[in-house]
Structures are given as structure tokens and as C-alpha cells.
Amino acid sequence: MSTHTIVENWRHLGMHTISSKINANLEINENAQNHLKTFKASTTFPIGLPRVAFVLEDIASRKKWINRIDEHYSFNVDKEALSFKSYEHYKMMWPIQDREYVLQSQWEVLDKKYLPTVTFSTKSIQSPQFPLRNDRVRGELYLLQYTLVQITPNKTNIAVEIQVDPKGKMPKLFVNMIQRNWPINTLKSIYLLASEDGEIHRGLIDKMR
């Protein structure tokens, strides 16, 4: 899956606190698709890239930092290509119906960069393994992309951008309001978990050599 980036038209929305010593820049892309905005946040973690990458992909880790996720299954995992497909179910509060997504994720090492750089991109796909259900709404993820840049072995610049349509009867204005906060909240959660001692993404390290 090739890396996809929304056409550049970013507008600064301000700085937000990630921790006592870390702030993140929040931006909005006005090139809306189906009246949905794209939001991006970026900052620098005092953490090595392989540790951040592990937290982004590992299922057990994801269940700790992704809000409302109830089920996560990976399938068609290709360790050589660093790609996989997944099914995610999100438990919502009444009266909002539960959401589900079928996704394709791919790591990519960007060779023509001055500093070691990787992307982790995810988008919605269709799969006969997970047909539509009456008790859940199938959302569509147009773009979720993390860009990691290794500043030093213990310092990583991270940017995340997202454009998603949860479908159903939720007004697009309400969706945009929720998604505005998502990149900052996500970086906070990733930072807290990645700051703990833990495993690193060894497969990605091999690809970066």
C-alpha cells in the first residue's frame, strides 16, 4: 500500500500540551472530503523510534492507548513486507451505535530522507472475512498516517494525520469537532505508553539498516 497524503493546505490551530516538557502543534487541512476535515498533530518524543513504532503496531499496546476499542484482530500478516490487515470494533455509549472498521496497514521506509524516516499508514478496505453486521456501523478510514523521524537514537519526531468517516447518523460537524481533538489525545496516550520500558519493533529496525 503506497503512502497517501492529503493535498497540502494546512492551517495552524495552536500548540497543545503533551506532557510537562512537551508541546504539540495542531493543524487542520481545509480540503474536505465529504465535508470531513483532516487534522494533524506533530511533536518530538525523547524516545527512540523503534520503541514508538512498537507501541503503534502491537495489539496489546494498542488496546491500552486507543480509546473505546473493544476488539482487534490482525490477519494476512506479512512480516517481510511489514503489512497486515485488521478488524477493529469500538464500543460506543448509548444512543450511538457501535462502530467497526476493516483496515490495511503498511510500514514504509523512506530512503531519500536526510534523517531516518518511516511512515505507518492505514486505510479502510473490504474483506469477505468480515461481512457487514446489523448491530454495528461500518466506518470508513480515508487516511491515518504516522510519520516517524529519528532525530537521534533517543529522540523521535512524530506526526499523525487522520481523516475518517464513522458513517451512520452522526452530523459531519459533530464528527469534525471530535476529530479535532483526536490527534493531540492520541499523541498523549502514545507518549505515556512508549515512555515505559518495553519492547521495540525489531522488524522495522532490520528494514532501516
Side-chain angles (χ1 to χ4, degrees):
M1 181 179 63
S2 62
T3 301
H4 172 64
T5 303
I6 299 294
V7 176
E8 297 294 332
N9 187 25
W10 297 102
R11 179 166 59 85
H12 183 64
L13 293 179
M15 300 296 292
H16 296 258
T17 300
I18 299 298
S19 73
S20 59
K21 296 182 179 180
I22 302 175
N23 292 320
N25 178 45
L26 180 63
E27 299 173 86
I28 182 174
N29 193 315
E30 302 290 0
N31 287 330
Q33 181 170 336
N34 298 328
H35 304 288
L36 294 167
K37 309 293 186 182
T38 306
F39 294 93
K40 177 169 69 174
S42 57
T43 189
T44 300
F45 289 165
I47 306 167
L49 187 153
R51 173 59 182 160
V52 178
F54 178 86
V55 170
L56 289 180
E57 181 180 333
D58 177 63
I59 293 178
S61 298
R62 290 169 66 84
K63 288 182 176 179
K64 294 179 181 179
W65 63 264
I66 298 180
N67 191 32
R68 297 195 179 281
I69 191 166
D70 189 59
E71 299 174 82
H72 184 291
Y73 307 111
S74 294
F75 60 104
N76 289 10
V77 177
D78 188 333
K79 293 185 178 180
E80 178 63 27
L82 295 179
S83 67
F84 61 93
K85 297 177 182 178
S86 60
Y87 171 84
E88 297 182 354
H89 165 223
Y90 291 82
K91 199 76 174 176
M92 309 302 291
M93 291 190 301
W94 186 89
I96 300 175
Q97 196 169 2
D98 285 8
R99 262 45 181 188
E100 63 174 6
Y101 297 85
V102 182
L103 305 168
Q104 167 87 47
S105 296
Q106 172 76 61
W107 286 99
E108 183 176 354
V109 178
L110 305 185
D111 296 325
K112 298 180 180 180
K113 296 290 184 179
Y114 178 71
L115 293 172
T117 303
V118 300
T119 59
F120 185 49
S121 304
T122 302
K123 66 178 182 180
S124 284
I125 59 169
Q126 295 183 358
S127 172
Q129 293 180 249
F130 295 96
L132 295 174
R133 299 174 48 144
N134 292 330
D135 61 335
R136 299 174 185 177
V137 175
R138 178 69 56 86
E140 184 169 3
L141 180 62
Y142 297 113
L143 170 74
L144 172 58
Q145 180 170 291
Y146 296 89
T147 302
L148 307 180
V149 181
Q150 182 176 278
I151 307 300
T152 71
N154 296 309
K155 183 182 291 186
T156 304
N157 181 270
I158 178 171
V160 56
E161 54 186 290
I162 187 170
Q163 185 183 63
V164 62
D165 187 349
K167 301 293 185 179
K169 298 179 180 179
M170 295 175 64
K172 296 298 189 289
L173 178 62
F174 182 61
V175 174
N176 285 328
M177 290 174 59
I178 295 175
Q179 291 305 310
R180 178 190 177 105
N181 297 320
W182 188 91
I184 295 296
N185 292 335
T186 295
L187 289 182
K188 288 180 180 179
S189 298
I190 293 172
Y191 173 71
L192 287 175
L193 189 56
S195 296
E196 301 175 1
D197 290 334
E199 296 183 60
I200 60 176
H201 199 310
R202 298 190 182 281
L204 189 59
I205 293 175
D206 293 339
K207 289 288 185 181
M208 294 175 66
R209 288 173 178 165

